[in-house]
């Protein structure tokens, strides 16, 4: 994937990413999730009760799933919708790509 340097959003072979407008919000959210994971490490280090750790694992997992769904929604609204406007093989490729991403999310 190549990136073109220019003012404004990064442009790659795939165009501008659907999450670009919320990039700062996404990074903030990921930093919170990172903090949750570090909290898990600290809990293990401090020999916290297993069930309490599992509760935090569940919360961290839910946070990542929520982030993934938001990213998927943005992909559908931006990338897939853009491909639908263009039509042809591009829409089929984007729908297949999104379907595979959803399948990966369901396996987790």
């Amino acid at each position: 994937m190549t990136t073109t340097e220019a003012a404004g959003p990064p442009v790659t072979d795939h165009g501008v990413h659907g999450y670009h407008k919320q990039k700062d919000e996404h990074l903030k959210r990921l930093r919170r999730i990172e903090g949750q994971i570090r909290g898990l490490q600290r809990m293990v280090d401090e020999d916290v009760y297993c069930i309490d750790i599992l509760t935090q694992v569940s919360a961290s997992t839910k946070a990542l799933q929520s982030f993934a769904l938001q990213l998927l929604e943005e992909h559908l609204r931006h990338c897939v919708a853009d491909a639908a406007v263009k039509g042809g093989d591009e829409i089929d490729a984007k729908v297949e790509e999104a379907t595979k991403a959803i399948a990966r999310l369901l396996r987790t």
Side-chain angles (χ1 to χ4, degrees):
M1 183 174 358
T2 59
T3 302
T4 307
E5 295 299 321
V11 178
T12 65
D13 317 5
H14 299 287
V16 176
H17 298 296
Y19 61 83
H20 177 74
K21 290 180 181 177
Q22 280 92 11
K23 186 174 180 178
D24 290 339
E25 293 166 29
H26 287 320
L27 289 171
K28 183 178 176 182
R29 195 171 185 183
L30 287 169
R31 283 193 278 285
R32 268 195 310 262
I33 294 168
E34 180 182 22
Q36 287 179 297
I37 302 305
R38 287 191 178 151
L40 283 166
Q41 292 171 335
R42 187 174 50 255
M43 291 173 83
V44 170
D45 187 50
E46 294 172 358
D47 295 317
V48 172
Y49 185 57
C50 304
I51 297 302
D52 294 338
I53 295 172
L54 288 170
T55 299
Q56 284 306 112
V57 167
S58 178
S60 299
T61 301
K62 295 288 185 205
L64 277 171
Q65 288 171 338
S66 177
F67 173 75
L69 285 174
Q70 179 66 41
L71 206 57
L72 178 61
E73 179 181 351
E74 290 167 2
H75 178 69
L76 293 172
R77 288 185 185 280
H78 181 269
C79 303
V80 176
D82 184 57
V85 169
K86 293 177 182 171
D89 292 339
E90 192 164 344
I91 183 62
D92 292 336
K94 288 294 180 185
V95 168
E96 181 179 349
E97 180 182 64
T99 301
K100 287 179 180 178
I102 292 166
R104 285 191 303 271
L105 287 172
L106 291 175
R107 283 194 294 261
T108 59

